[in-house]
Amino acid sequence: MVHVYNLHPFGSQQVVPCKLEPEQFCGGGRDALFVAAGCKVEAFAVAGQELCQPRCAFSTLGRVLRMAYSEAGDYLVAIEEKNKATFLRAYVNWRSKRTENSRVCIRMVGHNVEGSLGEAFRDQMSIVEMPLSETPLCVSCCPVKGDLLVGCTNKLVLFSLKYQSINEEFSVLDFERSLIIHVENVTPVEISFCVGHVAVMSDLEVLILKLDSDPKNGERVNSRHSQKADNPLKQTEEEGSNEMSHLESDDFVFCQKPIELLGEKSEQSGISVKLESTGLADTKYFHVQHLLYRRFSPDISLCVLSDDIKLHSLQLLPIYQTGSLTSDGKNLSQEKELLSLFCFFSLPHVGYLYMVVKSVELMSIYQYPEKCQQAVLTPQFLHVITSSKKDTSVKIKTPPVAEAGWNLYIVNTVSPVQLYKEMVDYSNTYKTAKTQSCIHLLSEAHLLVRAALMDAGQLEPGEKAELLEALRESCGHLGDCYSRLDTQHSHLALPYYKMSGLSMAEVLSRMDWTLEDEPQKYEKGLIFYINHSLYENLDEELSEELAAKVAQMFYVVEPKQLPHVLSSPSMKNIDPATALSYLRKLDTSGLSSILVTLTKAAMALRMGDVDTHRSEMKRYSEMKLVCGFILEPRLLVQQRQGQTVPTRLALHLRDAQPGLLVAAVLGLQKNSKIGIEEADSFFKVLCGKDEDTIPQLLVDFWEAQLVACLPDAVLQELCFKLTSQYIWRLSKRQPPDTTPLQTSEDLINACSHYGLIYPWVHVLISSDSLADRNYTEDLSKLQSLVCGPSFDIASIIPFLEPLSEDTAAGLSVHVLCRTRLKEYEQCIDTLLDRCPEAVIPYANHELKEENRTLWWKKLLPELCQRIKCGGEKYPLYLSSLKETLSVVAGELELRDFLRVLPEDGSAAFFLPYLLYCSRRKSLT
């Protein structure tokens, strides 16, 4: 709702003298004004140096009833009356009429102009006669295309703007009557036409249609083609009409109910719409789409339709952009692209604004303080002429031209910045009274500046900079109002202060801090702004004085927010003793006592009071302290200039309670208070490591994440991070920089992703003496992770290269990975060469079920072959062969067992196994 104030933004007033009483007038674009009086139209210049000077004049056929100007085509159209007959005429090339007696050409619409005759049109005004079978009542010009729509009783006639080409350099503007829209039982009072959209208004009805140019189901426009379908509403109204006839005969008046129909439902209005093509060429409109129907009810207390309840000021307002910009900032084209379309119409005391493009909906309703006589909608403002009461003190000065008996007045407004400053000065009279008037007036001033900036193409660079500064200033003033006045919209202090560009310190410096410890001093708008600003991790640090004032403010008004406020990076400079004194005064019965405790511990640490810090931290268990950190993550990690920065409390916990720190960051991650990459960066910065170095505390965090059973989406990434780090340490023989929080045994017992290490692995690495226990832990964790069920082994194979197979540790990992990939034969060959004592434990564990055949197809032949070669490993091969024969003899039938035995073997050696196989067969 717009409130009007007694401010007149008038810089000057120009008088347009008229010899006759002005009957009709309209604007001629940005540089002209047309005034019709009697049988004459005068054009006045309203731009440049010739402000309000006569430009030209031309005679009309009769008295002008309606008049409209089209910027597209630069023509004036008029409905004229002579001898009770009505005519429709368009005045083209009117700028060429230098004197009133200049020659004028009159031609019929659609008349082909000969080349020799057309050349004469170049320098003279021409009048295009447009005959109609019915009386024209109203006209409208499309602001984009320049097409002309004429309203008659029960029909609308569309004239398309076209140009007749005379030669390559010259063409003549003309019209073609292309379409008739038959609208049943509607007498249009006003119409509006814009890019295929038609709005029709009678005294109490508004209908909006869209003429579609795309064929619908192969539909073509034929003569008198009907778009009407039977509908129940029409039937009801017809029945009502019969009833009305009966009632009127009994001296009753029947009034239809008010109704609003949007979109497809508007077809149920009962109004029949038919399209009739009249153009010589194919019509560009194929069917009609109903967008809106609204009917208002007359005042039944009146016997006749009063002007107090009639509709007026129908308008279709397009919002579009012209052309598009290239990379060098130049326009590619000047074609207008329709972004949105609005329809406005008004009753004497209320106006309605609808959006009719993309969707059809009521956007706003405007209540007028007085009776509205006319309203005009622009992209920036709604201008309303109301009834501004009679004032006998106002005297109108007589015009300087003595012979002129009538005048039109053109008012020039002052510059937006000057008017803005006057409105701000005027608003200061309301500032101390704490009323809504201050906000209303400053809102109007703010909108004034914003509207001026929307038309930036008409501004000089200096003017634009001045307006931008005024815009920021107005946002600051509105922020002050909403922060200080107790209104239901006090939360608007935040966005206005943000748009003002003021820093938090500058906003606080505008406050009055004279009162002490009074809750009513701090209005909720200011609290809302400060609270949200402190939560936004701004790169602004308040001074010690301002930080103390903010702490005092929240202690008085919102004590439960004090721990959060003190944890903000912007409060870094607050005296910790002052903060601790406020925290100790808090009644924690209704607050989060854990959060208050952690904040006190952090402040004590900043003071160097380690004893107080320890006593506070011992008040709760580790899990409860983790919950406190989740309530306020900034106690541990803060963002400054886009970088992750650990707090002093986090640095202390790194050395004193690393387990609590890891658990707290894990809790933050699980509650979406910190991201994966942010957490990794936090631990690297915390431990003073660069991007390429992984501290043990970060490895502890990764291991804790696996134990916490995070979603599958991050599982493989975690496994990859850990295995990569384990492999790097093992390959570099690099011990961790701190003692790991969990051993491999802890992880195996607590996490399903860490599997039990296969028994043969222990046999394999037993020959490798590892003096460093941490090295052993990394190897055990890597082996356990590879033995687990979750890890994708194939993804780690390329990264095993730094881990040499020359050591038992490296060999164990390589063989484990190949085993997980079911490369058993290759693993058997490797173990027979490198660690024969591990072959039988390996086979017992791995060669089962479908892999059982490898005992006699792979392992037995390989052992027999290697025994023949002898060597220092002969005893190990022989022992393994005996165990292999025992297994094979227990698995195969005697005949199959004989087939797998070597032909050149000693019968005495194999005889016991043959007897065992035979005896097992007889027993079964």
Side-chain angles (χ1 to χ4, degrees):
M1 180 175 176
V2 178
H3 291 259
V4 182
Y5 293 86
N6 193 26
L7 287 172
H8 299 285
F10 305 148
S12 63
Q13 176 177 277
Q14 300 292 331
V15 180
V16 182
C18 301
K19 294 182 180 180
L20 300 176
E21 177 183 0
E23 296 176 336
Q24 297 287 331
F25 66 94
C26 69
R30 291 181 175 269
D31 65 342
L33 172 70
F34 295 103
V35 181
C39 294
K40 180 184 291 187
V41 173
E42 294 181 273
F44 295 87
V46 294
Q49 299 297 323
E50 300 179 353
L51 185 62
C52 298
Q53 296 299 315
R55 194 167 197 166
C56 67
F58 44 88
S59 298
T60 61
L61 189 62
R63 187 169 65 93
V64 177
L65 303 180
R66 295 287 182 99
M67 189 165 59
Y69 169 79
S70 174
E71 190 169 357
D74 192 26
Y75 68 88
L76 179 73
V77 62
I79 298 177
E80 305 170 13
E81 182 186 46
K82 181 178 182 181
N83 297 330
K84 298 184 180 181
T86 308
F87 305 89
L88 180 66
R89 309 172 98 203
Y91 296 85
V92 181
N93 202 21
W94 56 272
R95 296 177 188 270
S96 298
K97 194 167 188 346
R98 304 300 180 188
T99 65
E100 190 170 350
N101 295 325
S102 298
R103 188 176 180 181
V104 176
C105 174
I106 301 178
R107 55 191 170 93
M108 192 68 69
V109 64
H111 176 71
N112 289 328
V113 180
E114 297 293 336
S116 58
L117 182 61
E119 287 292 337
F121 291 167
R122 186 190 298 269
D123 298 321
Q124 65 178 347
M125 184 180 81
S126 60
I127 301 174
V128 182
E129 298 274 4
M130 290 179 275
L132 293 171
S133 60
E134 295 192 19
T135 302
L137 302 176
C138 45
V139 292
S140 176
C141 304
C142 175
V144 180
K145 302 293 185 181
D147 296 342
L148 173 65
L149 188 68
V150 183
C152 306
T153 303
N154 296 331
K155 70 171 62 173
L156 307 173
V157 182
L158 177 61
F159 291 88
S160 299
L161 181 65
K162 56 184 292 188
Y163 292 88
Q164 287 191 33
S165 178
I166 304 301
N167 53 48
E168 294 181 356
E169 299 179 355
F170 178 62
S171 59
V172 175
L173 184 148
D174 198 8
F175 299 88
E176 178 187 7
R177 185 165 61 177
S178 59
L179 187 70
I180 297 178
I181 308 170
H182 296 271
V183 187
E184 184 180 89
N185 296 328
V186 173
T187 300
V189 175
E190 293 184 32
I191 59 174
S192 186
F193 182 62
C194 181
V195 286
H197 292 78
V198 177
V200 187
M201 185 178 76
S202 62
D203 287 333
L204 289 173
E205 291 178 295
V206 175
L207 176 65
I208 303 179
L209 309 170
K210 181 183 179 184
L211 303 176
D212 286 334
S213 56
D214 295 329
K216 184 177 182 182
N217 299 325
E219 183 177 298
R220 301 285 295 181
V221 175
N222 297 319
S223 176
R224 311 289 288 189
H225 183 78
S226 175
Q227 300 293 325
K228 182 183 71 169
D230 294 335
N231 60 78
L233 182 58
K234 178 65 177 178
Q235 182 179 357
T236 302
E237 291 188 348
E238 290 175 353
E239 294 174 356
S241 178
N242 295 332
E243 182 182 356
M244 181 178 67
S245 301
H246 174 70
L247 291 175
E248 285 178 346
S249 64
D250 294 332
D251 297 330
F252 285 96
V253 177
F254 180 82
C255 297
Q256 293 179 323
K257 294 181 179 179
I259 190 172
E260 180 191 48
L261 300 173
L262 303 178
E264 296 179 354
K265 293 183 178 179
S266 61
E267 295 187 22
Q268 303 173 7
S269 63
I271 295 179
S272 171
V273 179
K274 304 174 184 178
L275 300 185
E276 177 185 354
S277 175
T278 59
L280 296 177
D282 288 343
T283 181
K284 63 178 180 179
Y285 295 119
F286 291 90
H287 67 279
V288 64
Q289 178 184 355
H290 293 248
L291 299 180
L292 170 70
Y293 174 76
R294 181 147 188 178
R295 181 174 65 209
F296 295 88
S297 178
D299 189 345
I300 60 175
S301 64
L302 302 175
C303 297
V304 295
L305 191 60
S306 168
D307 288 339
D308 289 338
I309 46 154
K310 287 184 179 180
L311 290 166
H312 62 78
S313 302
L314 176 68
Q315 181 182 354
L316 286 175
L317 177 69
I319 303 295
Y320 50 82
Q321 62 182 10
T322 303
S324 57
L325 295 179
T326 59
S327 58
D328 58 358
K330 296 181 179 179
N331 278 335
L332 282 176
S333 67
Q334 292 300 319
E335 293 185 0
K336 295 179 178 179
E337 177 188 358
L338 184 67
L339 299 179
S340 190
L341 184 66
F342 299 90
C343 180
F344 176 82
F345 52 86
S346 181
L347 285 170
H349 289 90
V350 60
Y352 299 88
L353 179 67
Y354 283 86
M355 181 171 68
V356 294
V357 163
K358 297 180 181 177
S359 64
V360 182
E361 58 181 309
L362 179 63
M363 300 297 295
S364 186
I365 297 177
Y366 303 94
Q367 299 284 345
Y368 309 132
E370 300 291 342
K371 177 184 176 182
C372 167
Q373 296 180 336
Q374 187 177 1
V376 177
L377 184 68
T378 67
Q380 294 87 11
F381 292 111
L382 172 63
H383 304 270
V384 181
I385 299 176
T386 59
S387 299
S388 302
K389 298 178 181 179
K390 294 182 180 180
D391 189 349
T392 56
S393 63
V394 178
K395 296 182 179 179
I396 303 177
K397 296 182 179 179
T398 58
V401 184
E403 66 273 16
W406 298 91
N407 299 292
L408 284 178
Y409 298 92
I410 298 180
V411 177
N412 292 331
T413 59
V414 298
S415 69
V417 174
Q418 179 182 344
L419 178 58
Y420 161 77
K421 291 178 179 178
E422 293 176 3
M423 295 174 79
V424 171
D425 291 341
Y426 186 56
S427 72
N428 290 332
T429 60
Y430 296 99
K431 185 174 293 185
T432 57
K434 285 197 173 184
T435 64
Q436 295 287 343
S437 299
C438 183
I439 292 181
H440 291 161
L441 193 54
L442 287 174
S443 297
E444 293 292 329
H446 175 77
L447 288 174
L448 174 73
V449 176
R450 288 184 63 178
L453 282 170
M454 288 181 68
D455 200 9
Q458 305 297 320
L459 299 175
E460 297 293 332
E463 292 178 305
K464 185 174 182 180
E466 195 175 16
L467 283 170
L468 286 172
E469 179 59 32
L471 179 67
R472 287 189 289 267
E473 182 186 274
S474 71
C475 292
H477 290 317
L478 285 169
D480 291 342
C481 285
Y482 285 111
S483 67
R484 295 170 184 170
L485 304 183
D486 187 13
T487 73
Q488 60 178 339
H489 303 297
S490 57
H491 61 280
L492 293 178
L494 178 64
Y496 277 120
Y497 273 142
K498 295 299 181 187
M499 290 189 292
S500 72
L502 293 171
S503 67
M504 191 164 32
E506 289 171 330
V507 170
L508 290 171
S509 65
R510 297 156 78 103
M511 301 296 110
D512 181 12
W513 301 96
T514 55
L515 300 176
E516 293 293 337
D517 294 344
E518 294 186 13
Q520 64 271 21
K521 162 187 165 181
Y522 309 115
E523 298 294 354
K524 56 184 179 181
L526 177 62
I527 296 295
F528 184 85
Y529 163 73
I530 297 296
N531 198 17
H532 277 261
S533 298
L534 292 176
Y535 264 107
E536 289 179 5
N537 294 325
L538 300 176
D539 296 326
E540 177 186 2
E541 296 179 0
L542 297 176
S543 65
E544 180 179 345
E545 180 184 8
L546 285 178
K549 289 180 177 180
V550 169
Q552 176 197 17
M553 178 194 310
F554 279 90
Y555 171 73
V556 172
V557 181
E558 289 201 30
K560 65 179 180 180
Q561 290 293 328
L562 187 57
H564 299 286
V565 168
L566 294 174
S567 301
S568 171
S570 300
M571 298 288 285
K572 176 184 177 183
N573 297 323
I574 191 171
D575 178 22
T578 301
L580 195 58
S581 66
Y582 283 125
L583 290 168
R584 284 171 173 164
K585 295 176 184 177
L586 291 180
D587 177 12
T588 58
S589 60
L591 304 174
S592 174
S593 57
I594 302 174
L595 184 54
V596 174
T597 295
L598 284 174
T599 311
K600 287 195 290 186
M603 291 300 165
L605 197 62
R606 287 178 56 181
M607 293 174 60
D609 189 351
V610 180
D611 292 337
T612 300
H613 167 80
R614 288 173 180 168
S615 64
E616 292 290 343
M617 295 295 286
K618 289 180 180 178
R619 293 180 59 185
Y620 296 98
S621 66
E622 182 175 292
M623 287 307 300
K624 288 189 175 181
L625 292 176
V626 168
C627 293
F629 286 121
I630 294 173
L631 290 174
E632 183 46 81
R634 293 178 298 177
L635 285 168
L636 291 178
V637 56
Q638 297 180 349
Q639 291 288 331
R640 293 178 187 165
Q641 297 181 349
Q643 300 296 320
T644 301
V645 180
T647 63
R648 186 173 300 182
L649 177 58
L651 291 169
H652 179 78
L653 293 179
R654 176 197 64 187
D655 302 324
Q657 295 176 276
L660 171 60
L661 180 62
V662 169
V665 178
L666 182 62
L668 297 181
Q669 187 183 32
K670 292 183 70 174
N671 287 273
S672 302
K673 298 296 181 69
I674 191 173
I676 295 177
E677 294 182 1
E678 186 182 358
D680 289 359
S681 176
F682 167 77
F683 281 107
K684 289 180 181 179
V685 176
L686 183 72
C687 299
K689 304 297 183 182
D690 57 29
E691 285 296 323
D692 298 327
T693 305
I694 307 298
Q696 174 57 39
L697 203 59
L698 179 53
V699 177
D700 292 328
F701 176 65
W702 290 342
E703 292 172 349
Q705 285 180 287
L706 274 187
V707 173
C709 298
L710 292 178
D712 294 338
V714 297
L715 176 61
Q716 292 301 321
E717 182 181 356
L718 269 178
C719 291
F720 176 77
K721 288 178 179 179
L722 285 168
T723 51
S724 298
Q725 184 61 20
Y726 295 148
I727 290 171
W728 182 82
R729 284 183 183 173
L730 291 170
S731 63
K732 301 295 184 181
R733 305 287 283 190
Q734 180 74 37
D737 54 343
T738 58
T739 303
L741 295 179
Q742 298 187 82
T743 65
S744 58
E745 184 178 357
D746 295 333
L747 293 172
I748 292 172
N749 292 333
C751 180
S752 61
H753 303 300
Y754 283 88
L756 287 171
I757 300 176
Y758 301 156
W760 57 267
V761 176
H762 298 293
V763 178
L764 179 59
I765 65 173
S766 61
S767 60
D768 192 9
S769 57
L770 300 172
D772 192 342
R773 180 177 177 276
N774 290 320
Y775 181 87
T776 307
E777 280 297 320
D778 281 341
L779 177 60
S780 297
K781 290 177 180 178
L782 177 59
Q783 291 169 343
S784 175
L785 200 55
V786 174
C787 291
S790 306
F791 189 44
D792 180 14
I793 301 300
S795 65
I796 202 63
I797 292 296
F799 300 92
L800 288 178
E801 186 177 351
L803 196 57
S804 174
E805 292 188 51
D806 294 338
T807 64
L811 180 63
S812 67
V813 177
H814 280 275
V815 174
L816 263 175
C817 289
R818 292 180 193 140
T819 300
R820 290 292 310 276
L821 295 175
K822 299 184 179 181
E823 299 175 359
Y824 301 108
E825 296 188 32
Q826 184 180 354
C827 292
I828 290 173
D829 290 335
T830 301
L831 291 178
L832 287 173
D833 291 337
R834 295 289 307 280
C835 188
E837 61 268 34
V839 168
I840 296 302
Y842 179 86
N844 283 329
H845 189 267
E846 304 296 342
L847 304 184
K848 298 176 181 179
E849 298 175 354
E850 69 272 11
N851 300 317
R852 198 72 172 169
T853 59
L854 292 178
W855 277 98
W856 54 87
K857 289 184 178 181
K858 175 65 180 177
L859 186 55
L860 179 59
E862 287 290 341
L863 286 172
C864 291
Q865 183 64 31
R866 291 171 191 268
I867 286 177
K868 293 177 183 178
C869 299
E872 61 180 6
K873 295 183 179 180
Y874 176 83
L876 293 174
Y877 291 143
L878 182 60
S879 174
S880 298
L881 177 60
K882 290 179 178 179
E883 293 200 35
T884 301
L885 286 171
S886 298
V887 173
V888 175
E891 290 288 330
L892 298 181
E893 297 291 337
L894 181 59
R895 182 181 299 177
D896 295 331
F897 184 44
L898 286 170
R899 288 174 181 170
V900 300
L901 290 178
E903 296 179 355
D904 56 350
S906 170
F909 179 80
F910 293 109
L911 185 59
Y913 302 100
L914 289 167
L915 291 174
Y916 169 71
C917 183
S918 176
R919 190 178 301 115
R920 181 180 60 83
K921 176 63 176 176
S922 62
L923 289 175
T924 57

